[in-house]
Amino acid sequence: MKRLLLLRHAKAVAEDASGLDHERALAPRGCEDATRLGEWIVRQGLIPHFIMSSSSRRTVDTLRLVGSAFGHSPLVMIRRRLYMCHETDYPPLLQEAPSDCELLLVVGHNEGLQEYLTRLTGTGRAVPTCTLAVVELPISEWPEMTLAVRGKLVQLVTPDDLDPK
């Protein structure tokens, strides 16, 4: 059985007049939330073996802050294809995870991430910024991931669920 962590990037600043959505930075609250989430991940023993992240600035910065709590650097793959991808784009990306990876973290965006979580688990849960979904998958190898695979939502953690600093 594999486990998947789906993380929506932390809160970003509003889009400015330049319209460069890909380059939006994290808001101060997003930085705080990402740091607290990283600490929570460590306390729960959920440090990933491999990470895939969208190439946007806000996802990479979220990953940097979350990962600063890990104590080591898991292998990270930055994928432009994860930037605003559709729910059906997730399984082919997940198939690229290394075979020895038991716990995969994917950092992405809504709406696609929330829609994929709904398809994967059958739940219609909202995924606010800096929310982490922990999903157990009934597969033994990542190439088995298809749109037909259904997982079990073990936990959905929002910034409001984390201990205040």
Side-chain angles (χ1 to χ4, degrees), residues 137-152:
L137 300 169
I139 61 170
S140 57
E141 301 293 330
W142 290 107
E144 297 172 38
M145 275 310 290
T146 66
L147 279 174
V149 170
R150 295 296 173 256
K152 177 184 175 189

Side-chain angles (χ1 to χ4, degrees), residues 93-148:
L93 286 163
L94 300 177
Q95 291 174 358
E96 297 175 16
S99 60
D100 62 345
C101 172
E102 296 300 318
L103 183 55
L104 171 63
L105 170 62
V106 177
V107 187
H109 307 263
N110 265 3
E111 295 299 313
L113 189 141
Q114 181 172 311
E115 291 168 350
Y116 181 60
L117 179 64
T118 296
R119 178 187 287 258
L120 181 63
T121 64
T123 62
R125 304 285 298 271
V127 181
T129 54
C130 208
T131 292
L132 180 75
V134 181
V135 181
E136 289 181 351
L137 300 169
I139 61 170
S140 57
E141 301 293 330
W142 290 107
E144 297 172 38
M145 275 310 290
T146 66
L147 279 174

